[in-house]
Amino acid sequence: MLLPRELYLGRKQRDLEMYEIVLITGLFLILLLLPFILPFAELFLKKDVKPIPIDIKRRKEPDYFGKSFINILTTALNDLRIQEVQKLNPVCLKLKLNREEWVVFLNNENLLEEVVDDVIVFTKDAVFLQNHIFRRELAVLGNAVFKNACVIRSLYVKGDCIIDAPIRIARWVHVEGTLIVNSHADLGVSVYARKIKIRNRTTFKRAFAQEITTSDKPIDVRLIINGNVFRDDDIEIEGNVWIKGNVFSQGIIVIENGVVIGEEGKVKSLVARDEIFIGGSFKIYGYIHSEKQVEIIL
Amino acid sequence: MKSMDTKQEYLKTFEVEKPVIGYARFGRVLKFNKYLFLFQLVFLVVVFEFLVIFFLDDYFRILSDITKRVLEGSYAGSYKFLGFNLEFSISQGRLPTLQEAFVYFLISSLSLLLLTSKFNPLPKYISTSFIYVAFIYFVSSFYFMFFLNRFPYTEKDFAMLYILQQTAIFLFIPILLALSLSIFAFSWLNPLLNAITIALILIYSSVFGGLRYIVFAYILKNFSYIHMPAMFFLLGPLLDFIYIVFFYSLCLYATTKILQRKQDTFYQWGF
Amino acid sequence: MGILIFLLKAYMVLLMLILLLYIIRHYIFTLNRALGKQRLYYQDLLDEDLPTVSVLIPMHNEEKVASHILDLIIASDYPKEKMEIIPINDHSTDKTKEIIDEYARKYPFIKPLHRYGDLPRGKQNGLNDALKIAKGDVIIVYDADYLPPKGQIRTLAVAFKDPRIGAVMGRVVPINAEKNLLTRLLDIERSGGYQVDQQARYNLNLIPQYGGTVGGFRKDLVVRLGGFDARVLAEDTELTYKIYLNGYKVAYANSAECYEEAPEDWNVRSRQLRRWSRGHNQVMFKYFKDTIFSKKLNFWQKIDGLLLLAVYMQPFLIFLGLMDSFLLFFLGETEIVNSYLFLLFMFAYSCFGNFAPFFEIGTALVLDGSRQKVFLLPLMFFEFIFNIIYTSLGFFDAVMDVITKRTVSWQKTERFRNV
């Protein structure tokens, strides 16, 4: 169908010439060995020879992001031999953080731009009265109060932090003191503070604090569970329960109406593969982690 | 509890790009588009199976014609299978003489002894492959030394077996590769890359398979049947897998090279 | 003659079906790992009430590597008051003893166990003796050539907070991948075996395997189950089955990645493979029946458990299949008559049967973010016959062990590290 048969059949059959044998054998060998060319090239040229990289220093640290940020910032400042940050009144420095970038140090002056493209460091307390979008990190070396809606890539606060207006954080929050959330807020991927008080609808993926609470009222405990709760399916915990161990689920965790997890002074965890929903009074000493989202509904 | 309206409003206030956070190796999976996956699977299997079925008769006819041209004294035959009429040409082969069989027996036994001895300097992975080759010739030559007249095949049986084997390879390539490559469903580029891969394998298989047949037929005619077991057990389907795996790895490389520039086009979080 | 041919053909059909099962298993595992929902490991569980841990390091002539692993475990972030290190010096004739003793003088939580004299050699015997002195609730085991990261002991030990977990296993990564063809092939095979195979079994609630290193187990459980059988070479596989047959599970920690030193020499590799195959097949003979009739395992766990038990018998079955097909070939019985059966045979035996492992490894490499490593896949054909021969020899060894009830002597994998 493809080629006229006469093309082949018109000729007389005869034995192969030597060069034809060589040609056919050669072609056969080439096709046989062709698939090995790239494998051997890789074997000898070693383009992708390293084993997958394993960080030998790797360990789980809930305050990893904020700590490394402030370490990088301090190191960069030390390299410039600037010891006291406070004395730098409005000044911009080009520093090598993860990459070289401008860091703006502000003291008492107000920040007027709505969209901020540089890393901002407030050297004293800061009150945010207008809307801002911080495309890079924001650090406050005193206390911070948010009175108007802001969007921040990542936030570091050396003192306490009060959120009184809707805040959306893309990556992480690190507060060395107490974090109080009085408004709607999306706290991003990782939240770390000494204490966290959540008093309004808040979402995040993971949060670590000595104590995370959703209410000031004491929880009236009627049932105490001395141990851990591990389940492959969803977990629902409701009403006046104190679980002294960890809670871990491969599904969703729903917590409502007065639940305490862990004990004061000891870190315990609430971990779910899917969402964690928390409603009503709740207190945990330690860590909340969801691979999807933690939603505190108040 | 706040109403949905407040929530909507609250979400609208914040328009900022969600940053891309690299997915750690341990928990990532491939980004998956169910529809593209199914589309590819069906498309690749249907299209390439159709092509194989459509051209199978012609392929073997052309191969038969070429064989007829290059091989002296060949005769034609055909093999009916699954509604196909597969033609072939082959010339008469011959049985090995006792001397030939003995020489092969001697060489293969000596090789076996040498390969399994302590004095063998070759690395083990090469030795073991040679042991396999030597073993096939050992069995084959032993058989022809003692049971020469009982050898159950002629060159015609060999040709039919080869055709059946090649047909099976042709028929399985689209299924095998479609099943394995369709899991890459990141963009519309994937079906294209995968289709190119399958097409290349089929082309390679046609050319290499045809050439291999001619070489085998030539060997059977000019040398002897003593090589037939090696053709079947050594240079048979095992060989096809080398180029199939090669093209598969090539496709994996191309896929990662073209699409893995940004992690988020490729991976997603697996939990 | 007719019966013989029937039997030979029946074996081929049986083999085909077995291989078909393995193909389906490979394919499901790969799809599940590449696209499915993954099961969460316990790495995110932060808990200050960590269990007490004894880190066991079996050592026999490990002077090249001993100080590396000890330094790394000392640098671990696991609370030292809850951890002890027991290097098990098993009849070392080099400087291993001196090195360990030097460390023990400096660090009080290092408590060496020196085994000399009449004490029987071997990893299982060493572990049994160490279990007698270990004070930890959890035992973590590292082979001497491993390089554990700082937080890994915590990652592994925290799994035992879950009362259902009897053992835990991390991911093994060869550090000397670049050395030669063998180490490069082992590197990509390990990738397939852990990144895809182990994780998929963990995802699907089947039987992830405890591998005897970068892993751990509950001490009281293992002591209660009688410790390790000195006659079984694969103490890790045996423990996996003991744990599942007693209603516990093995957790697989894909995030607990640890470098090891892969064998760089084909002779060393052949002995290792033969030993693994022997040990694994010993476990198969010992636990095949129990796995079928166990009341603690669900249906799919039994299927996976049996396929896993037979995994080192599979190359031997293929070897028999090759011999079988030689015979059928010379008897003139290659399936020309029944072409459909031949097609099925091609599919299981040659086609997908050969391709399935490549699919698994290829997918693992893509998940690992490797680039040119995928080009090495065709080179794995060089291992094909090598693997069949040495695993089959290991299978014969195990059969002889069963018949003669002999005791086994431990062979150690040679280390290559250049200090």
Side-chain angles (χ1 to χ4, degrees):
Chain A
M1 191 196 113
L2 285 177
L3 296 162
R5 303 191 96 189
E6 298 73 40
L7 243 162
Y8 317 110
L9 299 180
R11 305 205 180 168
K12 196 178 166 292
Q13 289 180 18
R14 77 249 172 339
D15 217 354
L16 287 179
E17 304 270 348
M18 196 58 204
Y19 80 91
E20 285 174 313
I21 296 174
V22 172
L23 193 75
I24 289 177
T25 319
L27 209 58
F28 176 73
L29 287 177
I30 288 172
L31 286 178
L32 183 70
L33 298 176
L34 205 61
F36 286 116
I37 291 177
L38 272 177
F40 275 109
E42 170 52 23
L43 186 65
F44 293 114
L45 297 179
K46 301 186 171 186
K47 293 244 180 195
D48 184 11
V49 73
K50 292 268 168 258
I52 49 171
I54 299 175
D55 179 6
I56 214 84
K57 297 222 160 64
R58 191 180 161 215
R59 54 189 291 246
K60 173 96 183 157
E61 290 169 296
D63 57 347
Y64 173 79
F65 295 112
K67 211 167 65 180
S68 7
F69 169 75
I70 207 70
N71 279 345
I72 290 172
L73 188 68
T74 321
T75 316
L77 287 174
N78 284 346
D79 286 351
L80 290 172
R81 297 176 205 292
I82 300 167
Q83 301 300 329
E84 284 173 73
V85 180
Q86 287 85 342
K87 286 188 181 161
L88 290 161
N89 218 347
V91 80
C92 294
L93 296 175
K94 195 162 201 179
L95 295 177
K96 193 162 168 42
L97 303 179
N98 283 320
R99 56 190 159 107
E100 201 153 90
E101 56 189 320
W102 284 104
V103 180
V104 182
F105 291 85
L106 296 167
N107 197 350
N108 289 320
E109 53 285 286
N110 282 326
L111 187 66
L112 296 172
E113 294 100 324
E114 202 191 321
V115 180
V116 188
D117 286 319
D118 302 316
V119 177
I120 301 287
V121 179
F122 282 88
T123 54
K124 290 183 174 171
D125 294 351
V127 181
F128 297 87
L129 297 168
Q130 11 167 157
N131 297 107
H132 294 288
I133 294 175
F134 295 93
R135 292 201 188 279
R136 305 289 302 154
E137 287 82 3
L138 167 66
V140 179
L141 301 180
N143 300 313
V145 181
F146 291 89
K147 290 284 186 193
N148 214 328
C150 285
V151 177
I152 311 164
R153 181 184 155 100
S154 304
L155 170 67
Y156 174 87
V157 180
K158 197 159 191 176
D160 297 334
C161 176
I162 301 169
I163 294 174
D164 282 338
I167 293 291
R168 177 148 163 196
I169 285 157
R171 292 196 166 184
W172 52 263
V173 189
H174 184 111
V175 178
E176 303 281 4
T178 305
L179 169 66
I180 301 168
V181 186
N182 290 322
S183 162
H184 292 167
D186 176 354
L187 299 180
V189 178
S190 169
V191 186
Y192 174 90
R194 194 166 53 80
K195 273 190 181 177
I196 302 175
K197 294 181 178 184
I198 293 171
R199 299 294 178 264
N200 210 324
R201 179 194 288 267
T202 307
T203 56
F204 51 84
K205 276 195 159 183
R206 32 192 211 252
F208 182 94
Q210 286 173 11
E211 191 183 294
I212 304 172
T213 56
T214 63
S215 159
D216 291 321
K217 282 180 259 165
I219 296 166
D220 173 26
V221 176
R222 292 192 194 140
L223 174 71
I224 298 176
I225 296 171
N226 266 318
N228 306 296
V229 179
F230 285 93
R231 296 284 296 172
D232 281 355
D233 37 19
D234 298 347
I235 296 177
E236 207 176 323
I237 304 169
E238 210 175 317
N240 311 322
V241 186
W242 182 10
I243 296 169
K244 290 193 171 177
N246 307 290
V247 180
F248 182 98
S249 161
Q250 297 283 354
I252 294 169
I253 297 180
V254 179
I255 284 177
E256 276 175 309
N257 303 330
V259 175
V260 183
I261 293 175
E263 285 175 274
E264 195 163 0
K266 267 185 192 172
V267 172
K268 294 283 167 184
S269 300
L270 170 65
V271 179
R273 178 171 66 173
D274 294 335
E275 289 84 359
I276 297 177
F277 298 100
I278 298 170
S281 301
F282 170 72
K283 185 190 271 188
I284 180 169
Y285 301 96
Y287 188 50
I288 309 178
H289 178 112
S290 159
E291 292 295 346
K292 295 262 161 58
Q293 180 160 275
V294 181
E295 200 169 338
I296 295 176
I297 310 154
L298 295 170
Chain B
M1 275 224 187
K2 308 281 171 182
S3 70
M4 269 317 274
D5 290 355
T6 342
K7 197 181 176 190
Q8 293 285 321
E9 205 179 301
Y10 153 66
L11 285 173
K12 251 185 269 167
T13 331
F14 299 94
E15 296 296 333
V16 71
E17 86 284 23
K18 268 275 174 194
V20 180
I21 292 175
Y23 301 113
R25 198 159 47 217
F26 71 88
R28 62 194 176 199
V29 294
L30 300 180
K31 214 158 215 181
F32 187 50
N33 179 336
K34 194 165 55 186
Y35 302 104
L36 193 53
F37 170 77
L38 288 173
F39 165 77
Q40 282 196 81
L41 195 62
V42 174
F43 168 80
L44 294 173
V45 171
V46 169
V47 168
F48 284 101
E49 285 299 340
F50 176 78
L51 285 175
V52 167
I53 289 166
F54 189 75
F55 285 113
L56 202 61
D57 278 356
D58 290 331
Y59 172 76
F60 282 110
R61 188 157 56 240
I62 292 168
L63 180 60
S64 166
D65 289 348
I66 296 173
T67 322
K68 201 177 283 171
R69 213 198 114 200
V70 289
L71 226 57
E72 194 189 16
S74 60
Y75 62 92
S78 76
Y79 177 61
K80 284 192 175 45
F81 169 65
L82 285 174
F84 298 113
N85 184 27
L86 309 171
E87 287 180 25
F88 61 87
S89 293
I90 189 114
S91 42
Q92 200 175 0
R94 65 170 183 85
L95 288 164
T97 61
L98 186 64
Q99 286 96 315
E100 272 175 334
F102 183 70
V103 169
Y104 276 103
F105 182 73
L106 213 63
I107 295 173
S108 57
S109 357
L110 281 176
S111 312
L112 275 178
L113 276 176
L114 202 73
L115 286 165
T116 48
S117 81
K118 275 183 188 165
F119 307 107
N120 173 16
L122 293 170
K124 280 220 159 110
Y125 69 101
I126 296 180
S127 298
T128 46
S129 305
F130 282 147
I131 287 174
Y132 183 57
V133 179
F135 182 74
I136 290 170
Y137 274 97
F138 176 78
V139 176
S140 176
S141 54
F142 181 84
Y143 184 89
F144 283 111
M145 271 165 65
F146 295 101
F147 309 101
L148 182 73
N149 295 322
R150 287 221 199 150
F151 189 64
Y153 305 105
T154 62
E155 70 284 339
K156 195 177 164 190
D157 297 314
F158 177 81
M160 276 160 38
L161 198 61
Y162 187 87
I163 281 174
L164 190 59
Q165 186 185 301
Q166 188 64 41
T167 304
I169 297 275
F170 279 143
L171 287 174
F172 284 134
I173 284 171
I175 299 173
L176 191 68
L177 272 294
L179 275 171
S180 311
L181 292 174
S182 298
I183 63 166
F184 300 122
F186 312 116
S187 89
W188 288 98
L189 226 59
N190 289 113
L192 187 72
L193 266 176
N194 298 344
I196 291 172
T197 307
I198 298 177
L200 281 174
I201 297 178
L202 284 172
I203 291 169
Y204 202 93
S205 188
S206 328
V207 177
F208 186 48
L211 199 61
R212 189 165 50 167
Y213 176 76
I214 293 170
V215 170
F216 285 179
Y218 184 82
I219 290 174
L220 288 182
K221 174 178 176 290
N222 291 291
F223 297 90
S224 77
Y225 288 160
I226 206 164
H227 301 286
M228 209 195 269
M231 289 167 188
F232 192 64
F233 290 105
L234 196 67
L235 303 171
L238 198 65
L239 215 56
D240 290 281
F241 269 79
I242 295 175
Y243 65 79
I244 292 179
V245 169
F246 166 68
F247 281 107
Y248 169 69
S249 71
L250 204 61
C251 183
L252 290 187
Y253 179 72
T255 307
T256 47
K257 181 92 182 162
I258 294 170
L259 294 165
Q260 210 178 351
R261 296 221 177 90
K262 270 189 185 169
Q263 266 209 339
D264 60 325
T265 61
F266 217 74
Y267 301 128
Q268 57 186 1
W269 203 222
F271 298 101
Chain C
M1 199 61 178
I3 294 173
L4 177 71
I5 288 172
F6 174 77
L7 285 176
L8 290 174
K9 282 185 178 175
Y11 178 75
M12 288 314 276
V13 174
L14 179 75
L15 178 63
M16 213 159 67
L17 293 176
I18 293 172
L19 291 178
L20 211 59
L21 271 179
Y22 277 102
I23 293 165
I24 295 168
R25 171 178 177 263
H26 261 109
Y27 198 71
I28 292 174
F29 283 2
T30 310
L31 281 191
N32 173 274
R33 177 63 190 95
L35 310 170
K37 194 169 180 179
Q38 309 298 298
R39 189 179 166 84
L40 200 60
Y41 177 74
Y42 307 91
Q43 69 253 349
D44 296 309
L45 206 65
L46 293 175
D47 190 329
E48 282 188 344
D49 289 327
L50 287 166
T52 51
V53 162
S54 301
V55 183
L56 271 43
I57 315 164
M59 292 180 170
H60 170 71
N61 292 344
E62 305 285 5
E63 62 178 11
K64 282 186 192 168
V65 294
S67 64
H68 301 175
I69 183 157
L70 287 171
D71 285 340
L72 284 170
I73 296 179
I74 289 162
S76 151
D77 71 345
Y78 208 80
K80 294 291 176 293
E81 67 278 8
K82 289 190 173 172
M83 181 174 90
E84 62 174 357
I85 305 175
I86 306 182
I88 308 169
N89 168 22
D90 198 14
H91 299 263
S92 292
T93 50
D94 63 354
K95 292 215 176 68
T96 307
K97 183 174 187 297
E98 287 75 16
I99 295 169
I100 298 172
D101 285 339
E102 180 67 34
Y103 273 88
R105 268 193 294 280
K106 268 195 257 173
Y107 302 97
F109 52 87
I110 299 186
K111 295 161 186 165
L113 171 63
H114 295 295
R115 302 181 74 247
Y116 285 102
D118 294 339
L119 290 173
R121 267 176 60 176
K123 187 173 178 180
Q124 322 87 309
N125 295 317
L127 289 174
N128 280 336
D129 286 354
L131 284 180
K132 287 175 200 153
I133 60 162
K135 293 199 177 67
D137 294 331
V138 166
I139 304 288
I140 301 285
V141 185
Y142 282 106
D143 282 349
D145 56 319
Y146 279 63
L147 302 169
K150 200 177 174 76
Q152 193 161 78
I153 294 175
R154 194 202 72 86
T155 308
L156 293 172
V158 79
F160 295 97
K161 284 273 150 188
D162 187 339
R164 300 167 297 180
I165 300 301
V168 60
M169 180 65 201
R171 177 176 175 184
V172 177
V173 180
I175 192 171
N176 53 344
E178 64 201 283
K179 200 77 190 184
N180 55 32
L181 174 66
L182 176 61
T183 56
R184 298 207 69 181
L185 292 179
L186 288 173
D187 177 38
I188 61 174
E189 277 169 35
R190 294 264 200 285
S191 189
Y194 286 93
Q195 178 68 288
V196 170
D197 214 79
Q198 287 269 52
Q199 179 66 34
R201 278 192 241 151
Y202 182 57
N203 289 343
L204 295 165
N205 195 14
L206 298 172
I207 302 193
Q209 208 181 339
Y210 166 70
T213 171
V214 203
F217 49 84
R218 265 178 218 284
K219 190 185 77 183
D220 58 342
L221 175 69
V222 172
V223 170
R224 203 172 71 226
L225 298 175
F228 296 101
D229 184 342
R231 284 202 313 261
V232 174
L233 270 173
E235 91 293 343
D236 44 1
T237 314
E238 189 190 16
L239 185 62
T240 309
Y241 281 85
K242 268 189 178 175
I243 279 171
Y244 271 91
L245 293 173
N246 283 283
Y248 289 87
K249 285 179 185 184
V250 176
Y252 172 64
N254 204 21
S255 58
E257 299 161 333
C258 189
Y259 284 133
E260 63 143 1
E261 196 182 70
E264 294 174 6
D265 179 285
W266 287 91
N267 288 319
V268 175
R269 171 68 181 156
S270 67
R271 286 195 292 273
Q272 187 189 49
L273 197 61
R274 184 170 176 172
R275 194 179 66 232
W276 284 358
S277 165
R278 179 179 178 182
H280 197 99
N281 283 307
Q282 288 172 328
V283 178
M284 182 184 69
F285 292 130
K286 201 171 164 183
Y287 290 96
F288 203 82
K289 203 181 83 200
D290 294 350
T291 306
I292 294 174
F293 295 109
S294 167
K295 289 204 169 70
K296 305 277 188 186
L297 299 174
N298 67 34
F299 176 73
W300 294 112
Q301 285 173 334
K302 283 183 185 182
I303 297 287
D304 185 49
L306 293 175
L307 288 173
L308 180 63
L309 275 178
V311 91
Y312 276 91
M313 190 175 63
Q314 190 200 0
F316 173 71
L317 295 180
I318 293 177
F319 171 76
L320 280 187
L322 269 175
M323 298 299 124
D324 193 354
S325 44
F326 280 158
L327 275 173
L328 285 172
F329 181 84
F330 285 109
L331 290 168
E333 294 291 337
T334 314
E335 293 289 353
I336 303 181
V337 191
N338 190 345
S339 317
Y340 299 102
L341 198 65
F342 182 83
L343 272 190
L344 192 64
F345 170 74
M346 285 282 293
F347 184 75
Y349 198 61
S350 302
C351 240
F352 217 0
N354 280 339
F355 194 73
F358 293 97
F359 178 46
E360 187 177 280
I361 294 171
T363 308
L365 291 176
V366 172
L367 284 171
D368 272 344
S370 305
R371 290 281 174 89
Q372 286 92 342
K373 269 184 197 172
V374 291
F375 287 144
L376 298 171
L377 283 173
L379 296 180
M380 284 174 61
F381 278 97
F382 285 117
E383 280 187 316
F384 182 59
I385 302 292
F386 177 87
N387 285 348
I388 287 185
I389 290 181
Y390 289 100
T391 3
S392 299
L393 286 173
F395 177 79
F396 283 126
D397 292 339
V399 172
M400 290 309 289
D401 291 338
V402 172
I403 295 170
T404 62
K405 296 199 164 45
R406 63 185 174 184
T407 50
V408 296
S409 61
W410 181 259
Q411 278 180 322
K412 182 187 135 16
T413 305
E414 191 188 320
R415 305 277 178 246
F416 298 88
R417 195 168 300 166
N418 304 312
V419 186

